[in-house]
Amino acid sequence: MKNTDNKVVIITGAAMGLGLAAAKELASQGTNLSLVDYNEESLAEAKEELSKQFPNVKIHTVVADVSNEDAVKKYVDETVSTFGRIDGFYNNAGIEGKQAGMIEYDINIFKKVIDINLMGVYYGMKYVIPVMKKQKYGRIVNVASVGGIRGVLNQVPYVASKHAVSGMTKNAALEYARDGITTNAIAPGAILTPMVAEAFNQINPDDPKAAEADYAQNNPSKRLGEPEEVAKVVSFLLSDGASYVNGQTIAIDGGESNSY
Ligand code: NAD
């Protein structure tokens, strides 16, 4: 299925995990990509891998920290000067922070999680939406989490930031639907990426595989998700076909968020 053939999509946090999986899925459909990450080395590796696999796709990379407003403006400006437009925006970069109880949580880590997960997502929309408004077309997919739908033990700033992503998604939908822009969020459950591997290390440093097995056991599907299973949904939400889906936070979690 070619959802996004010849479109131009920005992906933040594109060097690994969910961002890289989406880059591969979109590149396989002929989408031109503007890839953003603050990890310069991994971003260069990602570009090399994608260029080899998909030689006909145009790929621009920008090293930028999404919590820095000037850097966000720069990745948006560079995308427009390179490709002339922005059809889709996968506003994905985020961090988990450290696992700790609410009252013990390190305030500096708390603020960093908010700066990246909340402000980074906001800055992205602040600079991408004016471009999409001029085009009278755009598809935005913000990355929330199951932690943006319900609480998650020992992750208070993460949960706060992801609920905020879901809230900002609703507002963008209300404010810019008339401009041909749809804004949705996805809420992945536990998907095996470098971020989640690090979370299992923190939960059970002696036996991270046991922490992973616990998570799988508690999921109705009895397994974790694959990054490609998220990428397929993202590619649909970024496509013309998703034109009347707006302001939604869509769980991709094997059914986990339905349990109590
Ligand atoms: P990951 O750590 O595997 O990859 C994240 C990428 O984002 C990395 O390449 C990293 O360098 C980049 N990044 C982080 N902070 C950045 C910043 N300030 N500026 C630019 N780049 C930055 O993580 P992932 O699992 O792929 O997660 C991607 C998104 O999905 C995050 O927003 C995360 O909260 C969300 N999410 C992931 C899961 C999961 O199970 N993996 C579940 C729910 C939500």
Side-chain angles (χ1 to χ4, degrees):
M1 190 164 56
K2 291 201 168 180
N3 284 325
T4 53
D5 200 7
N6 276 325
K7 301 231 186 253
V8 175
V9 172
I10 298 179
I11 302 177
T12 65
M16 61 186 82
L18 300 188
L20 180 58
K24 288 181 181 163
E25 173 64 26
L26 294 173
S28 78
Q29 300 176 23
T31 313
N32 298 310
L33 299 171
S34 183
L35 305 180
V36 179
D37 207 288
Y38 65 4
N39 184 332
E40 188 169 3
E41 199 184 325
S42 299
L43 186 61
E45 283 167 15
K47 183 181 182 182
E48 199 183 328
E49 187 188 345
L50 286 159
S51 304
K52 267 194 201 139
Q53 219 178 328
F54 307 102
N56 296 328
V57 162
K58 291 193 196 80
I59 299 172
H60 181 72
T61 54
V62 189
V63 178
D65 180 340
V66 301
S67 66
N68 175 331
E69 185 173 355
D70 292 339
V72 172
K73 183 175 182 316
K74 179 170 172 275
Y75 80 63
V76 174
D77 288 348
E78 273 193 31
T79 305
V80 173
S81 60
T82 305
F83 294 109
R85 56 185 292 114
I86 303 168
D87 298 297
F89 179 35
Y90 186 30
N91 206 355
N92 161 74
I95 60 168
E96 190 204 39
K98 294 280 171 215
Q99 305 264 336
M102 270 180 87
I103 57 174
E104 291 90 23
Y105 212 95
D106 180 314
I107 204 71
N108 290 319
I109 299 175
F110 197 119
K111 286 180 175 167
K112 190 172 173 196
V113 172
I114 297 295
D115 271 351
I116 295 176
N117 293 9
L118 193 163
M119 294 312 297
V121 165
Y122 170 68
Y123 294 143
M125 289 196 285
K126 176 176 171 179
Y127 289 98
V128 166
I129 287 173
V131 177
M132 292 180 165
K133 269 185 81 160
K134 268 196 214 142
Q135 301 167 174
K136 289 274 170 208
Y137 180 89
R139 297 273 180 273
I140 298 173
V141 177
N142 294 323
V143 179
S145 165
V146 164
I149 298 175
R150 60 180 206 193
V152 182
L153 279 178
N154 298 324
Q155 293 192 19
V156 65
Y158 187 79
V159 166
S161 69
K162 295 301 188 180
H163 275 73
V165 168
S166 182
M168 291 190 291
T169 298
K170 291 174 189 165
N171 251 63
L174 290 184
E175 294 179 29
Y176 302 108
R178 76 194 71 168
D179 297 300
I181 302 170
T182 64
T183 310
N184 292 289
I186 56 163
I191 316 290
L192 204 45
T193 64
M195 184 184 90
V196 165
E198 168 54 24
F200 291 142
N201 273 328
Q202 285 187 47
I203 292 166
N204 190 343
D206 298 327
D207 191 356
K209 281 281 162 206
E212 184 182 329
D214 256 11
Y215 257 76
Q217 195 48 40
N218 288 331
N219 188 294
S221 303
K222 304 294 172 203
R223 65 176 179 88
L224 302 190
E226 303 287 341
E228 295 72 26
E229 293 178 287
V230 177
K232 297 269 183 207
V233 180
V234 171
S235 109
F236 171 67
L237 291 172
L238 290 172
S239 75
D240 291 344
S243 47
Y244 211 51
V245 185
N246 205 0
Q248 301 306 304
T249 296
I250 295 169
I252 309 168
D253 66 353
E256 184 193 354
S257 53
N258 297 301
S259 63
Y260 65 93

